[in-house]
Amino acid sequence: MVSINQIKLITSLDQKKFRQKHKLFIAEGVKVIQELLLSNFVLEHLYVTEAVFGKAHENHTTLISESELRKISCLSTPNNCLAIFRIPDEKEISNNGLVIGLDDVRDPGNLGTIIRLCDWFGIEQVLCSEQTVDVYNPKVIQATMGSIARVNVSYVNLANYIATTQKTVFGTFMTGKNVYAETLPQDAVLILGNEANGISTEVEQLIAQKLAIPRFGSIKKTESLNVASATAIFLSEFKRGFSGM
């Protein structure tokens, strides 16, 4: 059974200010929760409608009804489990290999998908501008499908970072060098911008090389690519010819 106070706490974690206040975040679904349980994230509590995780975490598990789960879930169609994890202290920034920088990415699904893509392509570090959506937003966590456990996400003043890094900084633009025609280094910074406005003027001025994905359609009326879709293409090109196997 879930108490009224527990319901109030859990539902408050949908908002950033309460996540920061309590240092807690929500994860839902067996796949996401299992990935986090196997990581360094610290479990606060599990709420399940059936025994899906065995006895390993039974001291931190409450069996609840489906109606109770609906009261605390952030999903329109809840799964069979919800977990509360502690927000860890921010780790030191990793400068190994390709670093991804996100300049004011606002959509939670986009950020979560980009983190998942980084996990797939072996990217250790994502740097988010201070205006980028909170990585512990429940929708972000859901979209990562557990990849948040393996990718370090840090919030920085992106312009200051770019101004001081020794790496070559690439930016993604509608107009730029054809990414398919470039020889791309493994050790670099790749900046992607806001869904509607792209990369900010302040950050653009610090970028050494602009890259673009060319349009191949005969009409070429498509205004732009979704930032997560673009990220997949750019990461694939940066990793082309490189075997991490």
Side-chain angles (χ1 to χ4, degrees):
M1 184 174 179
V2 189
S3 70
I4 293 175
N5 285 337
Q6 287 174 318
I7 292 173
K8 287 181 178 179
L9 170 62
I10 296 167
T11 55
S12 76
L13 299 178
D14 191 41
Q15 298 181 54
K16 181 179 178 179
K17 64 180 180 180
F18 291 112
R19 291 194 294 271
Q20 292 178 330
K21 176 182 177 181
H22 299 292
K23 297 288 286 182
L24 299 170
F25 71 94
I26 294 170
E28 297 194 59
V30 175
K31 166 67 175 174
V32 177
I33 293 173
Q34 189 64 60
E35 292 276 6
L36 296 179
L37 290 174
L38 294 172
S39 73
N40 292 325
F41 281 98
V42 177
L43 175 68
E44 184 75 10
H45 207 80
L46 261 173
Y47 298 90
V48 299
T49 59
E50 56 185 297
V52 288
F53 298 105
K55 296 184 178 181
H57 307 283
E58 61 183 355
N59 292 335
H60 295 278
T61 301
T62 298
L63 186 64
I64 62 174
S65 66
E66 291 183 3
S67 62
E68 286 178 310
L69 181 60
R70 284 193 293 271
K71 290 179 182 178
I72 61 176
S73 176
C74 296
L75 303 176
S76 55
T77 306
N79 202 299
N80 55 1
C81 51
L82 179 149
I84 307 298
F85 287 91
R86 297 178 192 171
I87 295 177
D89 294 333
E90 196 162 295
K91 298 177 184 177
E92 184 177 343
I93 291 173
S94 170
N95 283 300
N96 295 329
L98 182 64
V99 172
I100 300 302
L102 303 179
D103 187 14
D104 195 20
V105 170
R106 295 297 183 94
D107 183 83
N110 283 336
L111 177 55
T113 301
I114 289 169
I115 292 169
R116 192 177 180 191
L117 286 165
C118 287
D119 186 20
W120 180 267
F121 284 101
I123 307 300
E124 296 181 15
Q125 181 69 60
V126 174
L127 297 176
C128 296
S129 68
E130 290 152 344
Q131 296 75 35
T132 293
V133 62
D134 179 27
V135 69
Y136 295 109
N137 179 304
K139 292 179 181 178
V140 176
I141 297 296
Q142 190 73 19
T144 71
M145 292 301 291
S147 289
I148 186 63
R150 291 177 293 274
V151 178
N152 190 32
V153 180
S154 306
Y155 285 78
V156 299
N157 183 308
L158 208 51
N160 287 350
Y161 174 85
I162 294 171
T164 57
T165 186
Q166 300 301 308
K167 294 173 178 282
T168 302
V169 180
F170 294 83
T172 58
F173 295 85
M174 290 295 292
T175 56
K177 294 183 178 179
N178 183 341
V179 68
Y180 301 125
E182 294 299 303
T183 300
L184 302 169
Q186 293 298 308
D187 191 43
V189 179
L190 175 65
I191 307 296
L192 297 110
N194 175 268
E195 291 87 345
N197 303 312
I199 294 172
S200 65
T201 302
E202 179 186 19
V203 170
E204 180 180 357
Q205 293 172 346
L206 299 168
I207 287 172
Q209 186 169 333
K210 296 181 179 180
L211 297 174
I213 300 168
R215 288 181 290 189
F216 291 99
S218 58
I219 300 177
K220 298 183 180 180
K221 289 289 187 180
T222 306
E223 185 176 320
S224 63
L225 282 174
N226 169 276
V227 66
S229 299
T231 300
I233 295 169
F234 282 113
L235 291 184
S236 180
E237 288 304 306
F238 268 90
K239 293 297 183 178
R240 182 183 295 277
F242 173 76
S243 176
M245 305 292 284

